[in-house]
Amino acid sequence: MNYMTSTESPSKISTDCLIIGIYKDNNLSIAAKDIDKTCDGLITKLIKNGDVSPMLGEHQMLHFVNNINAKRLLILGLGDRSKFSINEFKKVNESAAIAIRNNKLNNFANYLTLEIKDKPNTYISARQSIEVILNNLYQFNEMKSKATDYSCSPKKIIIAISKKENANKTKLACEQADAISAGMNIARDLGNFPANICTPTFLAKKSQEIAKSYRNLSVKVHDEAAIKKLGMRSFLSVTEGSKEPAKLIEMHYKGAGSKQPIVLVGKGVTFDTGGISLKPSPAMDEMKYDMCGAATVIGTIAAVAKLQLPVNLTIVVPACENRPSSSATLPGDVIKSMSGQTIEILNTDAEGRLILCDALTYSEKFKPKYIIDVATLTGACVVALGHHRTAVMSNCDELSKLIINAGESSVDRAWALPMGDEYEAQLKSNFADFANIGGGGGGSITAACFLGKFTKNMKWAHLDIAGTAWISGDKKGSTGRPVPMLTEFIINQSNEKSS
Ligand code: BES
Ligand code: MN
Ligand code: ZN
């Protein structure tokens, strides 16, 4: 993809499609005013006749407009000017993506970026418009015998800027948006593949392919024998009932010499049946998404490697299936984790924490500056925060704030839930050091407290993405979240002089 910035007036820009907007109450955007002038009051006339709507997200494509150099003119409704901020901007760019796809555009010039007043405006608006548009052009056709004829991948995008001084910052934003979108696409593909294709072995192969395509990126895959040797009995207890071999995948991006790495750990349960504590049938297919933590961290390291950031980043992915069989772990079984702590498995469906705890213990050897695990861990998280925000739980306020701020600026938001002794006490077991489930409420928090028992020596945060990693219903599919938030976090880390 080729990205360009331009201070050219909208009527003069040469492009297949010029994108402008109109607000309610005959209120024209900067570019719409310009076009209205050069085109003899065209925009005002269209509004007066009701041929274009200023309602948020509505759009109208005009062809063969006189007096402009663009081949087409896309007019988008921006709603109330006073209410137009980043969320509305994203919504409008979604509509633009629909028009871009329906017209199979090869290139376009986006002048909506001039309308965002948040600071630093050009940076944020360029980032968001490219991310939103590329994200909405995404399609998953891998498993269809005939791909739908909707595919559209523009080759050139022009972003309008108000001042030449903003060009460099905006170009950087375009590059970052491009890398983040590529990372999201990797994460979305991995999530959308069904469990009969996306096995732990498949995840390992994909990681190897990705490692080959970027400089400074390497991969190491441990098989079951190696996992056993490491003493990861908790991880292995989950895969006991499955014929598919488990894998422990690690990837290392080295962009900053001997600096302490950031470590991301992603839950890679390629299908979660619940095991002997079997899940109910309705919507069980969605448990193919139970490896979205893994997909997120793989997508993030790909984005970071694409940007070649001056930072060290390691990802660790425990990958396996959770299935019942005659060899599956039974409720009440007690196992010893890699840390030496023993766990009573009261519910085999609380398996995510069982694979993550050993991966977290293993990751201590990298001496992480920060360690963050990412997991579709609890249904309770969806109850608490719905599908809008990722939950953050941490033993380090400074880290939790850095993550939440990265979520705000990348518009891929998160919200903190508390932790504490009173929640941790719910994990009490009569037969082992503790149980894998907490009686009583606060299921997302007790899950985090369980993981907290394995991260005492590290600055750690846990992200529960059960509500944000995929969408159900007729738009069912993986979202690629929270690749933007985590990449933003790593970008910020790479800008820190002292780290
Ligand atoms: N993968 C699920 C969590 C999940 C469920 C995510 C539904 C999104 C939608 C996880 O392994 C799980 O089964 N968690 C249990 C924990 C319980 C047994 C303590 C849950 O949330 O029901
Ligand atoms: Mn489960
Ligand atoms: Zn699960």
Side-chain angles (χ1 to χ4, degrees):
M1 179 83 74
N2 184 2
Y3 298 96
M4 282 174 67
T5 59
S6 178
T7 50
E8 186 70 273
S9 86
S11 55
K12 298 224 177 74
I13 194 100
S14 258
T15 173
D16 285 358
C17 181
L18 168 66
I19 305 176
I20 64 170
I22 52 173
Y23 296 101
K24 275 195 204 159
D25 306 321
N26 291 326
N27 204 322
L28 302 189
S29 67
I30 297 166
K33 254 186 212 149
D34 184 286
I35 296 293
D36 199 47
K37 230 189 237 159
T38 29
C39 298
D40 229 2
L42 171 71
I43 308 289
T44 335
K45 278 185 231 159
L46 287 167
I47 295 174
K48 212 170 167 193
N49 284 345
D51 290 328
V52 292
S53 163
M55 302 298 280
L56 188 71
E58 305 247 331
H59 61 271
Q60 189 64 258
M61 183 75 90
L62 307 184
H63 303 256
F64 310 111
V65 178
N66 288 333
N67 302 339
I68 65 171
N69 283 332
K71 287 188 191 152
R72 300 173 187 78
L73 178 64
L74 177 61
I75 305 175
L76 284 142
L78 307 182
D80 282 322
R81 187 188 275 273
S82 59
K83 286 190 194 141
F84 193 75
S85 110
I86 197 72
N87 286 339
E88 289 71 28
F89 180 75
K90 281 184 79 171
K91 206 168 191 173
V92 168
N93 277 280
E94 261 174 50
S95 307
I98 294 169
I100 288 164
R101 193 185 59 200
N102 289 344
N103 288 273
K104 286 184 178 292
L105 295 179
N106 202 33
N107 67 76
F108 57 88
N110 195 343
Y111 276 72
L112 301 171
T113 46
L114 300 177
E115 301 303 310
I116 280 288
K117 302 289 181 289
D118 302 319
K119 279 195 174 140
N121 53 1
T122 44
Y123 176 79
I124 290 179
S125 55
R127 266 275 298 267
Q128 289 306 320
S129 91
I130 290 168
E131 281 176 36
V132 168
I133 290 174
L134 295 187
N135 231 302
N136 279 278
L137 295 179
Y138 170 87
Q139 283 188 302
F140 185 74
N141 282 324
E142 308 291 322
M143 306 302 296
K144 295 199 167 153
S145 53
K146 234 181 167 181
T148 38
D149 191 29
Y150 264 131
S151 65
C152 166
S153 42
K155 300 287 173 286
K156 183 174 147 190
I157 298 178
I158 299 171
I159 297 286
I161 54 175
S162 49
K163 298 186 219 117
K164 274 224 163 72
E165 300 95 271
N166 292 338
N168 283 341
K169 222 158 179 225
T170 309
K171 278 223 176 89
L172 178 68
C174 293
E175 248 173 63
Q176 290 175 346
D178 193 64
I180 289 169
S181 303
M184 289 175 88
N185 286 355
I186 289 173
R188 294 178 77 177
D189 277 352
L190 291 175
N192 286 330
F193 272 116
N196 61 326
I197 303 288
C198 184
T199 59
T201 307
F202 180 89
L203 281 180
K205 274 201 191 121
K206 285 282 170 193
S207 306
Q208 281 155 341
E209 278 171 27
I210 292 166
K212 265 192 210 142
S213 40
Y214 296 107
R215 259 194 310 138
N216 300 326
L217 190 58
S218 63
V219 62
K220 190 169 170 185
V221 178
H222 307 258
D223 61 11
E224 273 189 14
I227 298 168
K228 209 172 263 168
K229 228 177 183 176
L230 286 164
M232 300 180 140
R233 302 267 160 200
S234 182
F235 175 13
L236 288 172
S237 76
V238 176
T239 195
E240 222 64 77
S242 170
K243 280 190 189 152
E244 265 320 312
K247 304 281 175 195
L248 179 70
I249 304 162
E250 53 184 277
M251 294 177 84
H252 304 277
Y253 168 74
K254 290 226 168 288
S258 59
K259 275 185 192 162
Q260 273 183 289
I262 315 272
V263 177
L264 304 177
V265 177
K267 173 180 173 182
V269 173
T270 56
F271 199 89
D272 180 14
T273 66
I276 297 296
S277 315
L278 192 65
K279 283 187 181 293
S281 300
M284 209 214 268
D285 67 288
E286 296 189 5
M287 283 300 117
K288 72 173 184 179
Y289 291 119
D290 214 17
M291 36 55 68
C292 281
T296 298
V297 302
I298 294 170
T300 301
I301 203 167
V304 168
K306 189 162 198 200
L307 291 168
Q308 288 290 309
L309 296 176
V311 71
N312 289 334
L313 176 64
T314 287
I315 65 155
V316 177
V317 170
C320 69
E321 289 183 343
N322 183 25
R323 283 189 191 246
S325 84
S326 69
S327 58
T329 296
L330 297 172
D333 283 2
V334 174
I335 48 97
K336 190 183 235 173
S337 66
M338 185 180 180
S339 71
Q341 302 176 96
T342 60
I343 304 163
E344 184 186 13
I345 300 175
L346 285 175
N347 190 321
T348 64
D349 197 11
E351 84 297 339
R353 60 199 82 180
L354 294 174
I355 71 171
L356 289 170
C357 69
D358 279 345
L360 287 164
T361 301
Y362 176 77
S363 298
E364 258 192 73
K365 74 172 194 171
F366 302 121
K367 301 196 170 51
K369 180 182 177 201
Y370 297 117
I371 186 162
I372 305 170
D373 76 75
V374 190
T376 48
L377 207 64
T378 61
C381 183
V382 190
V383 177
L385 297 181
H387 299 283
H388 304 295
R389 288 185 189 238
T390 294
V392 188
M393 288 147 271
S394 178
N395 64 8
C396 170
D397 282 346
E398 149 208 321
L399 173 58
S400 164
K401 277 187 196 130
L402 289 171
I403 293 170
I404 289 167
N405 288 342
E408 289 300 320
S409 40
S410 61
V411 203
D412 175 16
R413 297 186 175 102
W415 195 256
L417 295 180
M419 291 181 65
D421 295 345
E422 62 276 44
Y423 293 100
E424 196 176 326
Q426 292 175 227
L427 296 167
K428 181 187 169 305
S429 159
N430 287 354
F431 304 104
D433 294 348
F434 43 84
N436 77 327
I437 54 168
S444 304
I445 299 171
T446 52
C449 290
F450 178 96
L451 296 174
K453 290 176 176 293
F454 300 84
T455 55
K456 294 229 161 75
N457 308 319
M458 300 182 280
K459 289 182 174 177
W460 157 80
H462 158 62
L463 304 183
D464 196 329
I465 59 167
T468 48
W470 80 89
I471 291 169
S472 310
D474 59 357
K475 283 195 177 154
K476 192 190 282 182
S478 172
T479 60
R481 291 181 68 188
V483 170
M485 177 172 74
L486 283 171
T487 310
E488 181 85 10
F489 169 79
I490 306 287
I491 290 171
N492 294 343
Q493 286 295 308
S494 76
N495 288 336
E496 285 220 336
K497 295 278 176 290
S498 58
S499 69

